[in-house]
Amino acid sequence: MNRLYHVPLSPFCRKVRLVLAEKKIEAELVEERYWERDPDFMRRNPAGKVPILRLGEMNLAESSAICEYLEEVYPTPALMPKDVEGRYEVRRLVSWFDDKFHQEVTSNLLYERVNRKLMKSGYPVSANVKAGSKGIKYHLDYMAWLLDRRRWLAGDAMTLADFTAAAHLSCLDYTSDVDWNRSAVVKDWYAKIKSRPAFRSLLVDQVPGFPQPAHYADLDF
Amino acid sequence: MNRLYHVPLSPFCRKVRLVLAEKKIEAELVEERYWERDPDFMRRNPAGKVPILRLGEMNLAESSAICEYLEEVYPTPALMPKDVEGRYEVRRLVSWFDDKFHQEVTSNLLYERVNRKLMKSGYPVSANVKAGSKGIKYHLDYMAWLLDRRRWLAGDAMTLADFTAAAHLSCLDYTSDVDWNRSAVVKDWYAKIKSRPAFRSLLVDQVPGFPQPAHYADLDF
């Protein structure tokens, strides 16, 4: 049985969960409190991070390498365009969200509020939370700019770029950090992604100490 | 004429420079002090980062997306393996260096010592420098572990994984932060990479205020 070692509110784990579900690859979810550095887990992954995907005999690490691998081995349904410029644009946006959005928004909001409490590493630093609240507005506006010109973030088809962005935003939606009224096109885009069968497992996540807000699992949010 | 907007001691820019040179794609180097946020530059790249590659009519951003694009459009000489497991391993290691090594080593040593001075953002934080000096030992040992088992980092052929690691280490070598006596296999690996024609442009880099140390450009270091 395939296994995904993960934590529920990790955007990198959620990206892999979405890709697995969209491609109908079954994998058992195993929650891994990686910051406790369990020796068995460290053996599976010397980087000491999640996600780790055990797929058959392989232990796969690094979410972007995992997603590219899954796309190559399970090409249907496709999450990458067929043309080289399209693939570039998807990879650019995956990096945009996993690097820039992650650093400016996810780290400042989610990690300050949730991860610090789970990992018992002190109180949120309010300057970081403030920077994150400011940063998310700029990023939502950038998404709106893209979605005014395209049906999906990277072009006319849904791709890994959409799943990457949705993975980050869904974590932040769990902590009620997304103002969906800021842009109608972004809200419509999220409603389309959220109603996909692949998204269902994310909507039942529960994190002890952080009750799920009512709008989070509501498809008509 | 193609153009690469870059800064000399950026591992992400160096990775792209190595790929361009190895594939014999000519590109003029334009130094871009991105932290001064020149409006023309911000128009080319809303992320406000380097590298940006102007290739024909395209402006390409995000080093990993750029390198994958170059590999697809200029497949010879190949920097990615032909088999899917090999490509996974290259991508895993690219992420290892660009994420984990970058966060634990490059940021703590290079950015504290060099970037802070260039960007006039205060003095190095000594706890970070200390963490970086400790971190690089662990990473050199991990590289030695890989190179005891393989000719190159990801397998029997030189790949993008080697260029990514060499891009980080060459920046740190400029600031004399690499103890080449720690591991003979790592030193041999770096000597092989350093003597490639693609590496030459990196060896003539000069950063004002940071004179190049004698061993840096020496092929017999």
Side-chain angles (χ1 to χ4, degrees), chain A residues 110-205:
Chain A
L110 187 74
Y111 297 174
E112 287 293 338
R113 292 220 189 94
V114 177
N115 295 26
R116 274 188 187 274
K117 192 169 166 188
L118 294 176
M119 299 176 186
K120 301 190 173 83
S121 64
Y123 292 101
V125 177
S126 64
N128 294 347
V129 175
K130 210 169 153 185
S133 304
K134 195 177 155 198
I136 195 171
K137 291 180 189 161
Y138 159 78
H139 281 281
L140 290 172
D141 292 350
Y142 180 56
M143 292 176 71
W145 185 87
L146 291 173
L147 292 167
D148 275 338
R149 286 155 181 80
R150 304 166 171 180
R151 284 188 59 216
W152 296 89
L153 286 174
D156 282 338
M158 189 191 70
T159 65
L160 186 58
D162 299 287
F163 279 179
T164 308
H168 283 270
L169 284 171
S170 66
C171 290
L172 294 162
D173 193 35
Y174 191 99
T175 51
S176 303
D177 276 315
V178 187
D179 174 10
W180 295 115
N181 292 322
R182 191 168 175 91
S183 154
V185 285
V186 175
K187 187 176 180 180
D188 287 350
W189 164 86
Y190 191 65
K192 277 194 290 180
I193 295 243
K194 194 173 176 178
S195 59
R196 295 188 82 80
F199 220 85
R200 272 181 214 147
S201 120
L202 275 55
L203 298 180
V204 297
D205 278 344

Side-chain angles (χ1 to χ4, degrees), chain A residues 37-52:
Chain A
R37 303 182 92 76
D38 172 71
D40 265 359
F41 179 68
M42 295 303 287
R43 241 195 314 280
R44 277 190 298 271
N45 179 22
K49 298 197 297 189
V50 287
I52 295 292

Side-chain angles (χ1 to χ4, degrees), chain B residues 31-47:
Chain B
E31 202 171 326
E32 182 65 57
R33 300 167 71 87
Y34 60 91
W35 55 91
E36 293 172 356
R37 303 181 92 75
D38 172 73
D40 264 0
F41 179 68
M42 294 304 287
R43 242 195 314 279
R44 277 190 297 272
N45 179 22

